[in-house]
Amino acid sequence: MNRNFRYIVLLGLGLGFGFSACQKLDLPPTDRPTDATFWQQPSDAANVLATCYENLYNSEYFFFNEVLSDNAYNKSDVNGSNARNIAEGAYGTNQERITNEWSYHYSGIRKCNQLLGNIDKIPGLDAGLKARYQAEARALRAYQYFQLLTWYGDVPLITSEISVTEAAKVTRNPRAEVLDFVLKELDAAAADLPLNTAYATEDRGRFTKGAALAVKARVLLYESRWAEVAAITEQLLSGQVGSYSLFSSYAGVFSPNNEGNSEVILDLQYLFPSRTHSEQRFFIPRTEGKLISAIAPTQELVDSYVMANGKAITEAGSGYNEATPYVGRDPRFAATLVYDGYRWQRPDGSSILIRTFPGTGDNSVDRADASPTGYYSAKYFDPTADANLNSGLNLILIRYADVLLMHAEAKNELGQLSAGEWDRTIGALRRRAGFTDPGALAFPGGDRTSLQAVVRRERRTELAMEGLRIFDLRRWRTAQTALNGFAHGIKVGDPNVDNGYIRVDQRTFDPGRHYFWPVPQRERDINPSLSQNPGW
């Protein structure tokens, strides 16, 4: 995507949800664009669409979503918009992340509504380009509503520009109604969007037909509508709706040298120095990030990685040795997580041995700002970032590997996960990762329940530190198991407590109230017509 498309920011258009907009005056202002003066040329539509993409997603949410799950722990109760409080179940209707996420998505929705409501005013806009812009805006708006219904359940469904007075009176639409809208909008958008192969290089990053359908597959996955998921993923696997494939290197998928690779279906676009993110300073080793470690992978995530022979570390014959816990593991482990004895490659070509055991240096668990679990993350480290770790590396929202995992899960839930389906999905992922042991590559067989555990574990390790685990726990309705009790770090603690694994935090998840976030109190203060979720 070129610089002009990605980073144009329109000032003074009042693109928020509407509560802070100015009242109408009899005369339009002359010092900034207005509806009366702005929608005059084709570039106006392109510029507003660019602002819609700016609200596609947020880098802080992308990374700190892991802290909300059992994959990571946030030592700070400030960083990540107080994500740690949510993980501990100690939050209310004014919690920062919950308040900000609501307004963030509605800001994006208002931008899309503004484009869709005014694009017909523009004279001379090519009909084909107009249809594509509208399709992109509808897909972007559907994505925003997907996030809202996932976190909050019932939410106001607003499909046109509304006034401040109207905004202060809207009510929440039933979640099922919003879901139906999202699915229909994604279908309509997909019909008018081009294949990824039809876009020019400078348009990379826009919604495509494949991206719209991949989002739809994820929406349906979260609803356990397995047959519909499989129907869409089959189109993506067979190349009917675009050209996608696994990139040759697992670690390479996330390298700045390989942006826009064959695996990317939808991503957040950045470009240094115009638009950057800096969250990597919170998850890389303390000596490299120079700040508090606020996204520390847990022992629970580490233990979920299988051995190189495909067996879980608790299985007989796995070969797992507690004395050398990182030897002979899933190749994706070292490509994702940093552990005691890891050789970290610095941007200048030098390297440093990372030691995390107590008393071993600046990255050890007993240092105040170091990782409290004894683990850091390597995935999404950008060696081309500046001295302040500001990065222009794109963040992938949906990649082809996820499509393979969605397909495998749907097929298994339908009782149709055969050796052939395994080979084209999880088998393919493991071959790409670097597994060579026949036991790891072969279809394990078994009933739906036993295969379900294998598929879910594969999803966790393939997509670790990509912000998706919390959504899986919520849709599987297993959050009350995974997110109640202690999160742990490396084995250097009291041998009489949890077998010596450090207790770093106690989590709480109440299934009676935590599966949906509360409607922010700030919004209800402005608009008393907004009802509240149960338990809040």
Side-chain angles (χ1 to χ4, degrees):
M1 194 186 299
N2 67 24
R3 186 184 301 265
N4 290 335
F5 170 70
R6 293 165 74 176
Y7 310 112
I8 293 172
V9 178
L10 299 180
L11 302 177
L13 285 181
L15 294 176
F17 186 39
F19 297 134
S20 61
C22 298
Q23 294 181 352
K24 278 189 176 181
L25 302 177
D26 292 333
L27 296 175
T30 59
D31 61 339
R32 61 187 183 273
T34 68
D35 284 348
T37 62
F38 181 75
W39 303 95
Q40 300 295 318
Q41 52 192 350
S43 61
D44 293 339
N47 292 345
V48 174
L49 182 59
T51 72
C52 296
Y53 275 97
E54 288 178 349
N55 268 83
L56 175 57
Y57 207 60
N58 177 296
S59 63
E60 180 188 275
Y61 301 164
F62 180 92
F63 287 109
F64 277 90
N65 277 351
E66 289 296 272
V67 169
L68 304 180
S69 79
D70 54 350
N71 276 359
Y73 164 63
N74 184 1
K75 189 172 186 175
S76 166
D77 61 0
V78 176
N79 293 322
S81 298
N82 312 126
R84 173 180 168 180
N85 301 132
I86 299 177
E88 294 173 336
Y91 63 101
T93 59
N94 287 313
Q95 202 273 346
E96 184 179 358
R97 168 73 187 270
I98 288 164
T99 297
N100 291 348
E101 180 131 358
W102 176 285
S103 59
Y104 178 84
H105 294 307
Y106 275 112
S107 176
I109 288 166
R110 183 171 179 83
K111 293 175 184 180
C112 294
N113 285 343
Q114 186 172 43
L115 174 66
L116 292 168
N118 290 283
I119 196 169
D120 287 337
K121 298 177 182 177
I122 300 175
L125 180 58
D126 176 78
L129 194 58
K130 174 183 172 182
R132 197 195 80 191
Y133 285 173
Q134 290 172 313
E136 290 180 67
R138 294 176 78 175
L140 286 160
R141 185 176 60 180
Y143 190 86
Q144 302 289 354
Y145 273 118
F146 170 42
Q147 297 299 313
L148 286 166
L149 70 87
T150 300
W151 287 122
Y152 302 95
D154 300 350
V155 294
L157 181 58
I158 302 167
T159 59
S160 61
E161 289 187 88
I162 59 175
S163 68
V164 175
T165 302
E166 291 170 320
K169 296 179 181 180
V170 297
T171 59
R172 298 167 72 197
N173 295 70
R175 183 181 185 278
E177 182 181 339
V178 182
L179 173 65
D180 183 64
F181 172 80
V182 167
L183 293 173
K184 288 179 178 177
E185 285 292 281
L186 290 170
D187 278 339
D192 286 334
L193 286 169
L195 302 178
N196 63 329
T197 53
Y199 272 133
T201 301
E202 61 267 21
D203 285 320
R204 191 176 69 195
R206 294 181 181 274
F207 253 97
T208 63
K209 186 183 296 292
L213 291 175
V215 171
K216 184 182 179 183
R218 182 177 284 178
V219 175
L220 293 166
L221 185 84
Y222 286 13
E223 301 300 313
S224 301
R225 291 165 59 168
W226 306 116
E228 293 169 273
V229 173
I232 295 175
T233 52
E234 183 62 48
Q235 293 181 65
L236 289 158
L237 265 66
S238 62
Q240 299 176 44
V241 291
S243 178
Y244 306 101
S245 62
L246 291 177
F247 188 65
S248 57
S249 161
Y250 178 76
V253 172
F254 314 100
S255 168
N257 295 326
N258 304 315
E259 286 190 330
N261 64 71
S262 63
E263 195 161 332
V264 177
I265 297 178
L266 181 66
D267 62 354
L268 291 176
Q269 296 281 309
Y270 293 89
L271 182 67
F272 184 85
S274 307
R275 176 175 159 90
T276 61
H277 54 85
S278 58
E279 280 78 13
Q280 66 174 326
R281 68 185 69 179
F282 294 124
F283 62 73
I284 63 177
R286 178 184 175 277
T287 53
E288 314 308 296
K290 307 293 193 300
L291 286 177
I292 187 171
S293 178
I295 305 175
T298 61
Q299 188 66 44
E300 283 73 20
L301 172 59
V302 170
D303 288 347
S304 70
Y305 284 87
V306 298
M307 301 297 288
N309 59 14
K311 293 181 180 293
I313 63 172
T314 55
E315 283 187 71
S318 71
Y320 177 72
N321 186 342
E322 211 173 54
T324 55
Y326 314 126
V327 175
R329 301 296 288 272
D330 178 336
R332 291 169 294 193
F333 176 75
T336 305
L337 303 180
V338 179
Y339 48 86
D340 185 69
Y342 186 100
R343 178 63 66 175
W344 179 269
Q345 300 299 315
R346 287 175 160 165
D348 64 3
S350 65
S351 66
I352 178 176
L353 183 67
I354 304 299
R355 297 303 313 276
T356 66
F357 273 61
T360 56
D362 289 341
N363 292 306
S364 64
V365 293
D366 54 345
R367 294 299 297 258
D369 292 342
S371 168
T373 66
Y375 299 105
Y376 299 92
S377 183
K379 185 181 284 186
Y380 275 115
F381 169 62
D382 178 8
T384 68
D386 67 16
N388 293 318
L389 295 176
N390 296 308
S391 169
L393 178 61
N394 295 344
L395 304 177
I396 307 171
L397 295 177
I398 302 183
R399 55 189 179 95
Y400 187 64
D402 192 1
V403 172
L404 298 183
L405 289 164
M406 287 193 279
H407 189 78
E409 184 175 353
K411 285 294 187 180
N412 183 61
E413 296 299 329
L414 293 167
Q416 300 171 3
L417 184 56
S418 62
E421 294 289 5
W422 167 276
D423 188 65
R424 72 196 290 231
T425 55
I426 294 177
L429 289 170
R430 290 189 173 185
R431 287 191 297 273
R432 186 274 295 275
F435 282 93
T436 57
D437 190 300
L441 300 175
F443 178 53
D447 59 16
R448 186 187 68 84
T449 301
S450 65
L451 286 172
Q452 182 185 78
V454 174
V455 172
R456 289 183 177 185
R457 183 175 60 209
E458 192 75 17
R459 183 171 180 84
R460 183 179 190 180
T461 51
E462 172 70 29
L463 302 175
M465 309 311 290
E466 296 180 46
L468 296 174
R469 172 72 172 172
I470 184 60
F471 299 108
D472 289 337
L473 294 176
R474 289 161 66 92
R475 69 183 175 89
W476 293 330
R477 287 297 190 265
T478 58
Q480 62 265 37
T481 300
L483 301 180
N484 269 314
F486 286 97
H488 295 88
I490 57 176
K491 188 174 182 178
V492 295
D494 184 346
N496 298 312
V497 178
D498 294 345
N499 197 29
Y501 291 97
I502 304 172
R503 286 180 170 181
V504 294
D505 194 34
Q506 185 163 15
R507 307 294 182 82
T508 299
F509 189 95
D510 180 355
R513 65 200 297 252
H514 287 157
Y515 273 114
F516 286 128
W517 282 353
V519 176
Q521 187 59 44
R522 183 178 70 184
E523 301 298 330
R524 299 187 72 220
D525 289 342
I526 295 170
N527 178 9
S529 298
L530 292 174
S531 59
Q532 186 56 279
N533 279 325
W536 297 103

